[in-house]
Amino acid sequence: MGLLQEKYKQYREPQKFMEADVYPYFREITGKQGTEVQMGGHPVLMFGSNAYTGLTGDPRVEAAAKAAIDKYGTGCAGSRFLNGTLDLHVQLEKELAAFEGKDEALVFSTGFSVNSGVLANICGREDYIICDDRNHASIVDGRRLSFATCLKYKHNDMEELEKQLQKCRPEAIKMIVVDGVFSMEGDLANLPAIVELKKKYNASIYVDEAHGLGVFGREGRGVCDHFGVTDDVDIIMGTFSKSLASIGGFVAADFDTINFLRHTCRTYIFSASNTPAATAAAMEALHIIRTEPERIERLWNVTNYALKRFREEGFEIGDTESPIIPLYVRNVDKTFLITKLAFDAGVFINPVIPPACAPQDTLVRFALMATHTNEQVDRAVKALKKIFVEQDIIKE
């Protein structure tokens, strides 16, 4: 056995939870994504999805994907930089740029490759990247890959953000990077205050709209639009794998920034381009979101109902302002156990443990779709209340 194999033979953390019969990952779904799915041989209520608009099984999105395969085939066999650009990609980029109120946009193969590639590329050795300490892992990896000096501030702590800005050389690029909606806790970045600090210190702002697109703002444009600060945000990124019912990501900004990224961003020019089906599905989902405001209204109606029910039953749900509802457990072992017990009771939720959160902040993540009903929420709340009471996390 080599040194590599010997080293990783010692990694048995997952096996500990497997042996305890509470391992929650890689469960197989045997049908379409929806509010109820077939998993583990029986139906479960799906409250672990990021499909906020509920479009993953929409016939119109499916038809657009199928038509794209018929016209373009299953793949592009190359990067956007060379032979992999379709007229579909260009059309979607134009629509996304207009949607986000920016000059231009670039479509990437995944949302992760947007953050990891753009942040690694956009700031140089003499510059600064300043991050909220609860930003998504893709942002963390992007700043790690960058040659810029990386600074962090405590979550949504504007005083600490200002202190970090004061450390920066005035003439350097100072890129403040933040999630619009924080994916585990469901709270929002304080963008109005961040914009004030941007102007005070001549900084720039990069907002990850992965969980804001299709949820907040006019026609689902995101948190930047929700706060009315789109013009003050320099770079906006988003993903297709959530509200847009597909896979991929994009970045939108001014002409010159996109021109630079189009010719230098490694995760863009050295990755195979989005498949025709994924591109067409995202574009159709975008059209539906823009023309069906009632879909977002339904999402917020069921979200507000769920927030009310969880608060009534005594759950600790933090400062969430979104369809992402954290149910705090504050114990790693119990977090896995609750996930298992909920699944057995017919409710799929996601465990959130370190490094996605601090050890004392473990939780299970309950997320809503526009297609969920109040009755489904009631069934889930009832099942979870029983489990949380039995595990002495909340009181009867």
Side-chain angles (χ1 to χ4, degrees), residues 115-231:
N115 283 337
S116 60
V118 172
L119 291 174
N121 187 247
I122 202 74
C123 296
R125 293 182 186 275
E126 304 301 319
D127 303 324
Y128 298 88
I129 294 176
I130 309 162
C131 290
D132 188 293
D133 67 4
R134 293 189 188 173
N135 279 345
H136 189 264
S138 57
I139 293 175
V140 173
D141 280 10
R143 67 171 175 78
R144 285 174 175 170
L145 290 168
S146 173
F147 290 112
T149 298
C150 298
L151 304 172
K152 290 193 296 182
Y153 62 95
K154 291 179 183 177
H155 179 53
N156 261 344
D157 187 329
M158 296 298 100
E159 288 186 11
E160 186 166 358
L161 171 56
E162 182 163 19
K163 289 177 182 177
Q164 298 294 6
L165 286 165
Q166 289 169 348
K167 296 177 182 178
C168 303
R169 290 177 296 101
E171 70 277 11
I173 293 172
K174 299 167 285 293
M175 183 68 72
I176 304 168
V177 185
V178 67
D179 286 358
V181 180
F182 290 90
S183 58
M184 297 298 108
E185 296 86 2
D187 55 336
L188 309 187
N190 188 350
L191 288 183
I194 292 173
V195 167
E196 288 183 14
L197 291 172
K198 165 196 168 160
K199 294 177 178 178
K200 182 175 181 180
Y201 292 95
N202 192 25
S204 302
I205 303 175
Y206 179 115
V207 175
D208 179 331
E209 286 278 21
H211 296 270
L213 182 67
V215 179
F216 289 90
R218 294 168 301 144
E219 298 180 346
R221 285 177 169 87
V223 176
C224 297
D225 185 86
H226 168 74
F227 283 118
V229 297
T230 297
D231 290 344

Side-chain angles (χ1 to χ4, degrees), residues 29 33-35 39 45-52 347-351 365-369 372:
I29 298 174
Q33 287 275 353
T35 59
M39 188 183 293
L45 291 168
M46 173 52 72
F47 286 104
S49 173
N50 294 317
Y52 304 115
V347 180
F348 184 90
I349 48 178
N350 293 309
R365 181 181 182 275
F366 186 98
L368 282 305
M369 293 182 262
H372 277 123

Side-chain angles (χ1 to χ4, degrees), residues 72-90:
Y72 300 98
T74 57
C76 299
S79 72
R80 290 289 306 279
F81 200 60
L82 297 174
N83 65 299
T85 291
L86 303 176
D87 53 357
L88 267 184
H89 295 129
V90 176

Side-chain angles (χ1 to χ4, degrees), residues 17 20-24 27 329 331-345 349 351 353 364 384 387-388 390-393:
F17 295 104
D21 194 29
V22 295
Y23 183 74
R27 295 188 185 276
V329 180
N331 177 286
V332 172
D333 290 337
K334 281 190 176 183
T335 298
F336 278 116
L337 177 58
I338 283 168
T339 305
K340 155 73 172 172
L341 294 173
F343 182 79
D344 291 344
I349 48 178
I353 62 166
V364 290
L384 291 169
I387 293 165
F388 271 63
E390 288 173 349
Q391 295 303 317
D392 199 30
I393 297 167

